[in-house]
Amino acid sequence: MGITGLIPFVGKASSQLHLKDIRGSTVAVDTYCWLHKGVFGCAEKLARGEDTDIYIQYCLKYVNMLLSYDIKPILVFDGQHLPAKALTEKRRRVSRKQSKERAAELLRLGRIEEARSHMRRCVDVTHDMALRLIRECRSRNVDCIVAPYEADAQMAWLNKVDVAQYIITEDSDLTLFGAKNIIFKLDLNGSGLLVEAEKLHLAMGCKEEKYHFDKFRRMCILSGCDYLDSLPGIGLAKACKFILKTEQEDMRIALKKIPSYLNMRNLEVNDDYIENFMKAEATFKHMFIYNPLERRMQRLCALEDYETDERYCSNAGTLLEDSEQALHLALGNLNPFSMKRLDSWTPEKAWPTPKNVKRSKHKSIWQTNFQSENTTTPKKENSCALFFKKVDFVSKTVNEEIEANQRLEQAKQTEAQLFTMYSFKAKRRRSPSRSDSVDQERTPPPSPVHKSRHNPFAKERTIEDCNQRSPVVCENASLLRLLSPKKASPLGGEADVKKVDSLKRSIFAKEQVQVRSRFFASQDEQTRHQKEHLNDTEKDNLDEQKLGSCSGHKKLRLERKDFPLDNQIRQRCNSQKSDGETDTDTTASSLLESQEQCVPSPLGSQEEQNQSQPQTPTKSNTKSTTIRLKSLDLLLENSQDPTEFDRNNNDAVILLSDDSCSSEQRASSTSTSSTLQRQNSLPTSKRRVGLSKPSTAKKGTPKSKTNGKLGAVSQNQTKLSMFGFQKKPMLK
DNA sequence: GTTACGTTTAAAT
DNA sequence: TAAACGTAAC
């Protein structure tokens, strides 16, 4: 039941959280929440008495999700019912029975849909069902514990002693047990709502120095909780008002002042209510839990801690004298209601692992040496990040560069992790020189390197290279390869792999690459200053004018009907292209981008992606040449023949900036290579690849204004939209 | 503005 | 089952 309206009430103490933020931690899970949701999917089968494991599989999905984020789950189950909740449970049983009878009746009448609705209401989660899940978890080395009474108290204790740093539940009652970090509404994408106890004073509107957790708990009890109904007319708001007003610590005295403090003269606070209030408070403080580290039952908080009179603890459970029985109850071997032995599992015995079951490597709370090695809070991992070199040729100072380098060094330790995050399930084609390249990655060659001033992602070239080889239009090997694989990679597939490796090195190891979601740009100072004095329409006109006159651009059109995707990639793609991207004149960027959207992201949640794309412009903007390394990698990996791109006639448009080019040129795929070759004669400093709309373009500009074209870019402007990683740079 | 209460909706596949 | 929502009463 929980506290009505508590989650909205604690809004100021809550924040969105993703499981990736709590890697390496341990969470206690209110497993009945998952079981109840899982049961919903197979309620009809269960109501008919058919065997199903759908609810088990549903729970295991969550377990696996947690494990995938290197989070150790401890599944906590409810134990015996407290006397205080006996009435509630009885009501529920009656309600379920009625629902079952009604469902049967509706089925007889042929009203299937209505019957289904009632069938969902008549299914209960039994301990047998919980035991099935416990058995599955045991085989996966995932810890489970059955609380002597309420799972809430057990989880709060695990949180209190720091065995679990977070708690996953849907029950707002948990906050009253003193849990520190609670995750509500966790979904299968890994997103949830974190409520932090240390911020609860914000929700109450109380100064931190005047706040004590007891005040919050008393407020909640006053507003009505599982163990005590509220006084008529008292909700969270009024309870909060009263608690903040009273200075009296002794609630037996304070509660009598409610009518006068809240100006509710007709309200009666009798002795019964006060007695029950004291009992409710004691229940939240002193309920019995099981300590798996010391293998004994104990109270959540000792009575001495609060100098609580034991007579108020009548709803806080009783101590099981038989310690063996208490242990087996906690292990899940006993039915908590009948105390009947159902299983004989012990943590000491090595149990065989079923085939195809992957065991977690986390240390079990049931291991005797767990406490000595796991009592410290896991170190929060440094955020891994890539940095991008902000191409600001005017204002960049040496100090800034040093700072950026320092940040890069700090980020390096997590590069390996980052590579893992952005790796693909598709098998990587390993080149024979792979090991060499890995070594090189660790110890970059000390040779003098010529770095492009315009393209931070450009492949590094030695000075000798610059002298010997004719300059290429596209310094980015991957992009060039995409445009013209034959010309770009005369050495064949192996050379391409090397090029990509080198490209990666240049991004991840050498260059300072700040990752932005889709594109990054250095603003052309001249254009920017010019635009500052113009209104939006004039800005757009300026953009169009620049593009139209093509004073510095060359437009290449690669006629292709289909993009080279192997079946594996195609299967991942769910036609997520938006309307704007389904034009027949689809650009290479949008094609790549639409594919990119289909590639499973290590980040997962949409919300997070939004966060990581603070400057993501409108669709028309993102349609610009945004080519992601991941896509290129994927394409390269999945294309056995480097010339495969040519065989597929994709429709791609790439803008190239070139002062010497005075008019818009279009070239078919057959002429692309020659066009690129002509570009080779251009001065390096004037090469532009992958131009996109300037970031100063008015957000949400109607497509008609820009005519669906890419934005104008002046000759000094470098706007590369080639590697739009989704990882948000998070630096501390 | 707050509370109480009835109704609707989402939960899963 | 509980949260969310709408509405009426105070």
Side-chain angles (χ1 to χ4, degrees), chain A residues 50-79:
Chain A
E50 291 174 24
D51 184 45
T52 176
D53 69 343
I54 288 176
Y55 61 92
I56 301 287
Q57 296 307 324
Y58 178 78
C59 295
L60 290 176
K61 265 189 204 172
Y62 274 100
V63 170
N64 290 333
M65 177 177 68
L66 291 169
L67 292 174
S68 75
Y69 286 101
D70 189 27
I71 295 167
K72 172 184 167 60
I74 301 174
L75 272 57
V76 183
F77 297 81
D78 280 313

Coordinates of all heavy atoms in Angstrom, one line a residue, chain A residues 50-79:
Chain A
E50 N -2.4 -24.0 -15.0 CA -1.4 -24.5 -15.9 C 0.0 -24.1 -15.4 O 0.2 -23.1 -14.8 CB -1.6 -24.0 -17.3 CG -2.8 -24.5 -18.0 CD -3.1 -23.8 -19.3 OE1 -2.1 -23.3 -19.9 OE2 -4.3 -23.8 -19.7
D51 N 1.0 -25.0 -15.8 CA 2.4 -24.7 -15.4 C 3.0 -23.7 -16.3 O 2.8 -23.8 -17.6 CB 3.2 -26.0 -15.4 CG 4.6 -25.7 -14.8 OD1 4.7 -25.0 -13.8 OD2 5.5 -26.2 -15.5
T52 N 3.6 -22.7 -15.8 CA 4.3 -21.7 -16.7 C 5.5 -21.2 -15.9 O 5.5 -21.1 -14.7 CB 3.4 -20.6 -17.1 OG1 4.1 -19.6 -17.8 CG2 2.8 -19.9 -15.9
D53 N 6.5 -20.8 -16.7 CA 7.7 -20.1 -16.1 C 7.9 -18.7 -16.6 O 8.9 -18.1 -16.5 CB 8.9 -20.9 -16.3 CG 9.4 -20.9 -17.7 OD1 8.6 -20.6 -18.6 OD2 10.6 -21.3 -17.9
I54 N 6.8 -18.2 -17.2 CA 6.9 -16.8 -17.7 C 7.3 -15.8 -16.7 O 8.1 -14.9 -16.9 CB 5.6 -16.4 -18.4 CG1 5.4 -17.2 -19.7 CG2 5.5 -14.9 -18.7 CD1 4.1 -17.0 -20.4
Y55 N 6.7 -15.9 -15.5 CA 7.1 -15.0 -14.4 C 8.5 -15.1 -14.0 O 9.2 -14.2 -13.6 CB 6.1 -15.1 -13.3 CG 6.1 -16.4 -12.6 CD1 6.9 -16.7 -11.5 CD2 5.2 -17.5 -13.1 CE1 6.8 -17.9 -10.9 CE2 5.2 -18.7 -12.5 CZ 6.0 -18.9 -11.4 OH 6.0 -20.2 -10.8
I56 N 9.0 -16.4 -14.1 CA 10.4 -16.6 -13.7 C 11.3 -15.9 -14.7 O 12.3 -15.2 -14.4 CB 10.7 -18.1 -13.7 CG1 9.8 -18.8 -12.7 CG2 12.2 -18.4 -13.4 CD1 10.2 -18.6 -11.2
Q57 N 11.0 -16.1 -16.0 CA 11.8 -15.5 -17.0 C 11.8 -14.0 -17.0 O 12.8 -13.4 -17.2 CB 11.3 -16.0 -18.4 CG 11.4 -17.5 -18.7 CD 12.9 -18.0 -18.4 OE1 13.8 -17.3 -18.7 NE2 13.0 -19.2 -17.8
Y58 N 10.6 -13.5 -16.6 CA 10.5 -12.0 -16.5 C 11.5 -11.5 -15.4 O 12.2 -10.5 -15.6 CB 9.1 -11.7 -16.1 CG 8.8 -10.2 -15.9 CD1 8.8 -9.3 -17.0 CD2 8.8 -9.7 -14.6 CE1 8.6 -8.0 -16.8 CE2 8.6 -8.3 -14.4 CZ 8.5 -7.5 -15.5 OH 8.3 -6.1 -15.3
C59 N 11.5 -12.2 -14.3 CA 12.4 -11.7 -13.2 C 13.8 -11.9 -13.6 O 14.7 -11.1 -13.2 CB 12.1 -12.6 -11.9 SG 10.4 -12.3 -11.2
L60 N 14.1 -13.0 -14.3 CA 15.5 -13.2 -14.7 C 16.0 -12.2 -15.7 O 17.2 -11.9 -15.7 CB 15.7 -14.7 -15.2 CG 15.5 -15.8 -14.2 CD1 15.6 -17.1 -14.9 CD2 16.6 -15.7 -13.1
K61 N 15.0 -11.6 -16.4 CA 15.4 -10.5 -17.3 C 16.0 -9.4 -16.5 O 17.0 -8.8 -16.9 CB 14.2 -10.0 -18.1 CG 14.0 -10.6 -19.4 CD 12.9 -9.9 -20.1 CE 12.2 -10.7 -21.1 NZ 11.0 -10.0 -21.7
Y62 N 15.4 -9.1 -15.4 CA 15.9 -8.0 -14.6 C 17.2 -8.4 -13.9 O 18.1 -7.6 -13.9 CB 14.8 -7.7 -13.5 CG 13.8 -6.7 -13.9 CD1 12.5 -7.1 -14.3 CD2 14.1 -5.3 -13.9 CE1 11.5 -6.2 -14.6 CE2 13.1 -4.4 -14.3 CZ 11.8 -4.8 -14.6 OH 10.9 -3.9 -15.0
V63 N 17.3 -9.6 -13.5 CA 18.5 -10.1 -12.9 C 19.7 -10.0 -13.9 O 20.7 -9.4 -13.6 CB 18.4 -11.6 -12.4 CG1 19.7 -12.1 -12.0 CG2 17.4 -11.6 -11.2
N64 N 19.4 -10.5 -15.1 CA 20.5 -10.4 -16.1 C 20.8 -9.0 -16.4 O 22.0 -8.7 -16.7 CB 20.0 -11.2 -17.3 CG 20.0 -12.7 -17.1 OD1 20.7 -13.2 -16.2 ND2 19.1 -13.4 -17.8
M65 N 19.8 -8.1 -16.4 CA 20.1 -6.7 -16.7 C 21.1 -6.2 -15.7 O 22.0 -5.5 -16.0 CB 18.8 -5.9 -16.8 CG 19.1 -4.4 -17.0 SD 17.6 -3.5 -17.2 CE 16.9 -3.6 -15.5
L66 N 20.8 -6.4 -14.4 CA 21.6 -5.9 -13.4 C 23.0 -6.5 -13.5 O 24.0 -5.8 -13.4 CB 21.1 -6.3 -12.0 CG 19.8 -5.6 -11.6 CD1 19.2 -6.3 -10.4 CD2 20.0 -4.2 -11.3
L67 N 23.1 -7.8 -13.8 CA 24.4 -8.4 -13.9 C 25.2 -7.8 -15.1 O 26.4 -7.7 -15.1 CB 24.3 -9.9 -14.1 CG 23.8 -10.7 -12.9 CD1 23.5 -12.2 -13.3 CD2 24.8 -10.6 -11.8
S68 N 24.5 -7.5 -16.2 CA 25.1 -6.9 -17.3 C 25.8 -5.5 -17.0 O 26.6 -5.1 -17.7 CB 24.1 -6.8 -18.5 OG 23.2 -5.7 -18.3
Y69 N 25.3 -4.9 -16.0 CA 25.9 -3.6 -15.6 C 26.8 -3.8 -14.4 O 27.2 -2.9 -13.7 CB 24.8 -2.6 -15.2 CG 24.1 -2.0 -16.3 CD1 22.8 -2.5 -16.7 CD2 24.6 -1.0 -17.1 CE1 22.1 -2.0 -17.8 CE2 24.0 -0.5 -18.2 CZ 22.7 -1.0 -18.5 OH 22.1 -0.5 -19.6
D70 N 27.3 -5.1 -14.2 CA 28.2 -5.4 -13.1 C 27.6 -5.0 -11.8 O 28.3 -4.5 -10.9 CB 29.6 -4.8 -13.4 CG 30.6 -5.4 -12.4 OD1 30.4 -6.5 -11.9 OD2 31.5 -4.6 -12.0
I71 N 26.3 -5.2 -11.6 CA 25.7 -4.9 -10.3 C 25.3 -6.2 -9.7 O 24.7 -7.1 -10.3 CB 24.4 -4.0 -10.6 CG1 24.8 -2.7 -11.1 CG2 23.6 -3.9 -9.3 CD1 23.7 -1.9 -11.7
K72 N 25.7 -6.3 -8.4 CA 25.3 -7.6 -7.7 C 23.9 -7.5 -7.2 O 23.7 -6.6 -6.3 CB 26.3 -7.8 -6.6 CG 25.9 -9.0 -5.7 CD 26.9 -9.1 -4.5 CE 26.4 -10.0 -3.5 NZ 26.1 -11.4 -3.9
P73 N 23.0 -8.3 -7.6 CA 21.7 -8.2 -7.0 C 21.5 -9.2 -5.8 O 22.1 -10.3 -5.8 CB 20.8 -8.7 -8.2 CG 21.6 -9.5 -9.1 CD 23.1 -9.3 -8.7
I74 N 20.8 -8.7 -4.8 CA 20.4 -9.6 -3.7 C 18.9 -9.6 -3.7 O 18.3 -8.6 -3.5 CB 20.9 -9.1 -2.4 CG1 22.5 -9.0 -2.4 CG2 20.5 -10.1 -1.3 CD1 23.0 -8.4 -1.1
L75 N 18.3 -10.8 -4.1 CA 16.9 -10.8 -4.2 C 16.3 -11.1 -2.8 O 16.6 -12.1 -2.2 CB 16.4 -11.9 -5.2 CG 16.3 -11.5 -6.6 CD1 17.6 -10.9 -7.2 CD2 15.9 -12.7 -7.5
V76 N 15.4 -10.2 -2.4 CA 14.9 -10.3 -1.1 C 13.4 -10.6 -1.2 O 12.7 -10.0 -2.0 CB 15.1 -8.9 -0.3 CG1 14.5 -9.1 1.1 CG2 16.5 -8.6 -0.3
F77 N 12.9 -11.6 -0.4 CA 11.5 -12.0 -0.4 C 10.9 -11.8 0.9 O 11.5 -11.8 1.9 CB 11.5 -13.5 -0.8 CG 12.1 -13.9 -2.1 CD1 13.4 -14.0 -2.3 CD2 11.2 -14.1 -3.2 CE1 14.0 -14.3 -3.5 CE2 11.8 -14.4 -4.4 CZ 13.1 -14.5 -4.6
D78 N 9.6 -11.6 0.8 CA 8.8 -11.4 2.1 C 8.7 -12.7 2.8 O 8.7 -13.8 2.2 CB 7.4 -10.9 1.7 CG 7.3 -9.5 1.5 OD1 7.9 -8.7 2.3 OD2 6.7 -9.0 0.4
G79 N 8.7 -12.7 4.1 CA 8.6 -13.9 4.9 C 7.2 -13.9 5.5 O 6.2 -13.8 4.8

